[in-house]
Amino acid sequence: MPGMLHHYFGGHRVAGSSGRCGDVTNPATGEVIHQVPFASTSEVDEAIAAASSAQPGWEAVTPQNRARVMFRFKTLVEDHMDELAELVSREHGKTLADAKGSVTRGLEVVEYACGIAQLLKGEYSGSVGTGVDSWSMRAPLGVVAGITPFNFPAMVPMWMFPMAIACGNTFVLKPSEKVPSCALRLVELLEEAGAPEGVLNVVNGDREAVEALLASPTVQAVSFVGSTPIAEHVYRTGTACGKRVQALGGAKNHMVVMPDADLEQATDALMGAAFGSAGERCMAVSVAVAVGDRVGDALIERLKPRVESLKIGPYTDSEADMGPLVTRAHHDRVSGYIDCGVEEGADLVLDGRGFSLQGYEGGNFIGGSIFDHVTSGMRIYKEEIFGPVLCVVRSEGYEDALRLVNDHEFGNGTAIFTRDGDAARDFVQRSRIGMVGVNVPIPVPVAYHSFGGWKRSLFGDHHMHGPEGVRFYTRLKTVTERWPSGLRKGAEFVMPVLH
Ligand code: NAD
C-alpha cells in the first residue's frame, strides 16, 4: 500500500485533510510509489497564514544574516546531493547524472542569493537640494508564491524561493503533483540551515491549490513555470487580482545549422539537446533548421545511427542516455504526435513508438524519433511535443531560417551553429527570442544573468533569477530627507523644487 505524502507549512509536516489526492508513480516501472494530498482552499489559506505570520520577523533579519542562511543551505544541498538527485529521478525518470546537473544549476541560484546584501544596495544622491539627500532602497513584497512544473523538481523551485527569501519575503511553493518529494525535502533543509518556520512552505495539490494562491489577497506576487495555456491563465488571473506575476510557458526551440558549421559538433549538440532528459526540457532543441539540403542530408546521415543507438533505461542504469517519459498519459501524447506527423506527411526517419525495455514493460519508455522535411504548417512543428522527437526543417537560406525562428509563437531559446561571425552576430541581433546560443545548443543563462523567453513563452515583465529576480521580488522605495538645522521656508503651495 503506497504511503501518503504531506504538506509542509509553519515549520511542520501537515497531513492533507481535503480527502483528495493523486498517485505519484515511478516512470520506469509504472508502479505507484506514494500518494500526494491535494490541498483544499482552506489548507492553502493556512499555509499562506503561516507565511504571513513569519514575514515581518524575516524581513527584519538583516540581509547579511539572511545570506548566512543561504550559505548554510548551499552546503546542506551539496551534502545531500545524492539523496536529492534520487528523489528527482525516482519520480521524474531522468538519469541520476542529469538530475544532479539540474540540482547543481539550482544551487547556482542559491550561490547568487548569498550575495543578497550587495544586490539590495540602493542608490544614494547627496545634496539633491540644500540640506536634502535622497536615496532608493528595495523592500520585500511580503508573501509570494511559486507554482512549478514536473520537469525540474529541484531546479525550477530553486530559481524562485532562494531569491524571494533572500530578498526578505516568505514563500509558498506548490510543486507539480507528479514530482512532489524533492520540494518537501528542500524545505526541511532550508529550515535546518536556519530559516525560521513559515519562511518556506510547501502545499501540494492541483488546480484548486493554484486558484487559491491566485485568489488570496495576502499573496503579493506569483512565479509560475509550466505550459503556455496555464501560464497565460495564471498571468491573467493573478494580475486581475492585483498581483505581480511572471509566468513562464512552453517552447519550441530551433537550432539553425549553417552550411559552414562543424557538423560533428552540431550533431553532438543536437543529440544532447533534443534527447537529453527524453526531451522534457523547456530549453530542449526540438527543431533543427538545416540551411540548405546538403546540411539537411548530412545531419540526417549523422543523427540516424546515433539516435538508433541511444541507450534508454531507468535512472538506476548509470549507462543510460535518457530515461522514460514522466507518465503514461504523457507517453501516449508524445506517441500521438508521432502518429500526427506521419498523417501530416513528414518523413519519419526514425520511429520511437513501440519501444519497450525488457524487465520494464510497465514503464513509460519511448525511443528517439526523427522527422525530416517538416514544414511550418504542420502541428508537429507548431506545437510543443515535450518528448524525444526531433523535427528537421530544411530552409533555403539564412534569411529563411531566421524567419522561421521569428515567426514561431514561442520565443524561449534558440541557437545558431556556424563559423561565420557575421551570421552569428546578425542572428543574435535579429532573433526575437529570449535566450540565444552561438554554438551553444541549450543557452540557459547562469544564475547571475536572468532566465526567460519572449512571445508566448513568458507572460509578464520579469525574467527569473539574476538581477531580474531581485527586481521581481522587491519594490522600490525612494526617500527624500531634509535635516533643516534652522532652515525654515514656511508652507510652499507650488510644486516643490529643491534648491
Ligand atoms: P503544467 O502547465 O501542466 O503544470 C504546471 C503547474 O501548473 C503544476 O504545478 C500544475 O499542478 C499546475 N496546473 C496544471 N493544470 C492547471 C490548471 N488547469 N489550473 C491551474 N494550475 C494548473 O506543466 P507541466 O506539464 O508540469 O510542465 C511542462 C511544461 O512546462 C512544458 O510546457 C514546458 O515547456 C514548461 N516549462 C517551461 C519552462 C520555462 O522556463 N519556460 C521551464 C520548465 C518547463
Side-chain angles (χ1 to χ4, degrees):
M1 183 68 185
M4 180 68 80
L5 294 172
H6 47 272
H7 311 295
Y8 193 104
F9 48 82
H12 308 283
R13 293 182 174 193
V14 179
S17 58
S18 71
R20 293 195 313 119
C21 65
D23 290 339
V24 181
T25 55
N26 176 344
T29 60
E31 159 211 12
V32 178
I33 41 183
H34 26 239
Q35 292 192 302
V36 60
F38 287 173
S40 62
T41 301
S42 63
E43 288 172 294
V44 173
D45 286 343
E46 280 178 55
I48 295 169
S52 183
S53 60
Q55 201 277 328
W58 180 242
E59 180 175 350
V61 172
T62 63
Q64 191 64 48
N65 282 332
R66 298 201 296 258
R68 290 188 174 118
V69 172
M70 287 298 153
F71 273 111
R72 288 192 291 271
F73 180 57
K74 166 188 151 57
T75 305
L76 282 169
V77 171
E78 282 166 349
D79 293 348
H80 291 80
M81 180 61 82
D82 289 344
E83 178 195 351
L84 291 167
E86 169 102 21
L87 290 175
V88 168
S89 291
R90 189 163 173 235
E91 295 177 356
H92 176 278
K94 65 178 78 180
T95 65
L96 278 174
D98 191 24
K100 279 184 196 165
S102 72
V103 177
T104 303
R105 291 307 300 258
L107 207 46
E108 290 171 8
V109 181
V110 179
E111 289 167 350
Y112 181 69
C114 287
I116 197 65
Q118 167 72 14
L119 294 168
L120 288 178
K121 264 164 65 174
E123 291 180 324
Y124 180 85
S125 300
S127 298
V128 294
T130 307
V132 182
D133 306 314
S134 183
W135 74 89
S136 58
M137 55 194 264
R138 302 210 68 97
L141 303 177
V143 176
V144 299
I147 299 153
T148 52
F150 78 79
N151 65 327
F152 285 108
M155 184 182 81
V156 172
M158 287 162 88
W159 283 353
M160 302 173 181
F161 74 77
M163 293 307 303
I165 288 172
C167 287
N169 303 284
T170 54
F171 201 89
V172 181
L173 172 65
K174 209 273 327 147
S176 165
E177 62 275 38
K178 297 179 184 117
V179 293
S181 295
C182 194
L184 289 169
R185 191 69 187 108
L186 287 172
V187 60
E188 290 178 349
L189 292 178
L190 190 73
E191 290 191 359
E192 200 179 324
E197 51 190 46
V199 166
L200 176 61
N201 308 276
V202 176
V203 278
N204 283 304
D206 60 355
R207 187 183 170 167
E208 184 174 340
V210 171
E211 299 301 337
L213 288 168
L214 294 175
S216 165
T218 307
V219 174
Q220 300 296 304
V222 175
S223 299
F224 174 91
V225 176
S227 58
T228 286
I230 312 296
E232 188 167 21
H233 166 73
V234 165
Y235 180 75
R236 287 185 192 283
T237 313
T239 51
C241 292
K243 299 184 197 325
R244 189 179 283 187
V245 181
Q246 52 178 183
L248 279 62
K252 196 82 177 176
N253 305 313
H254 294 48
M255 179 172 132
V256 175
V257 185
M258 296 291 284
D260 65 350
D262 176 336
L263 288 180
E264 301 306 328
Q265 186 196 24
T267 305
D268 282 344
L270 279 171
M271 287 303 300
F275 302 102
S277 206
E280 290 173 324
R281 289 182 183 140
C282 64
M283 288 292 276
V285 169
S286 46
V287 178
V289 184
V291 177
D293 272 332
R294 188 187 61 75
V295 175
D297 293 344
L299 277 182
I300 294 288
E301 189 191 322
R302 285 168 173 74
L303 284 167
K304 189 169 180 243
R306 298 276 300 269
V307 180
E308 266 169 337
S309 58
L310 268 176
K311 179 110 175 51
I312 302 170
Y315 74 89
T316 42
D317 177 354
S318 59
E319 306 276 292
D321 298 315
M322 70 180 212
L325 292 170
V326 68
T327 56
R328 179 50 40 181
H330 189 51
H331 169 281
D332 295 349
R333 189 169 167 272
V334 171
S335 190
Y337 270 112
I338 303 174
D339 299 343
C340 171
V342 172
E343 280 159 30
E344 288 178 310
D347 180 4
L348 184 58
V349 175
L350 259 186
D351 184 357
R353 291 171 298 184
F355 176 90
S356 170
L357 192 65
Q358 206 179 359
Y360 291 89
E361 287 78 7
N364 313 319
F365 290 97
I366 192 164
S369 298
I370 307 175
F371 277 112
D372 194 5
H373 297 287
V374 173
T375 60
S376 59
M378 295 178 179
R379 274 187 60 204
I380 55 164
Y381 174 78
K382 291 196 280 200
E383 297 174 19
E384 182 181 46
I385 299 175
F386 222 55
V389 182
L390 179 66
C391 293
V392 178
V393 181
R394 291 162 181 245
S395 76
E396 281 175 17
Y398 167 72
E399 286 297 331
D400 194 22
L402 180 65
R403 197 171 316 113
L404 280 169
V405 169
N406 284 345
D407 285 353
H408 204 283
E409 72 165 311
F410 296 123
N412 216 37
T414 190
I416 187 166
F417 272 63
T418 183
R419 291 185 170 100
D420 177 345
D422 271 353
R425 184 174 188 285
D426 188 81
F427 190 75
V428 167
Q429 296 297 321
R430 290 169 64 210
S431 50
R432 294 198 296 120
I433 302 288
M435 294 169 283
V436 182
V438 175
N439 298 317
V440 172
I442 305 189
V444 174
V446 290
Y448 42 100
H449 286 261
S450 300
F451 182 107
W454 287 12
K455 299 186 270 183
R456 288 177 62 75
S457 293
L458 188 149
F459 301 86
D461 298 322
H462 293 86
H463 290 200
M464 276 199 190
H465 64 67
E468 294 261 294
V470 178
R471 280 193 282 274
F472 183 76
Y473 291 123
T474 56
R475 54 170 69 96
L476 190 68
K477 182 182 281 186
T478 306
V479 181
T480 307
E481 190 178 71
R482 166 183 280 148
W483 294 100
S485 46
L487 189 75
R488 187 148 175 238
K489 289 171 69 185
E492 283 179 300
F493 296 98
V494 295
M495 183 69 191
V497 177
L498 297 169
H499 297 289

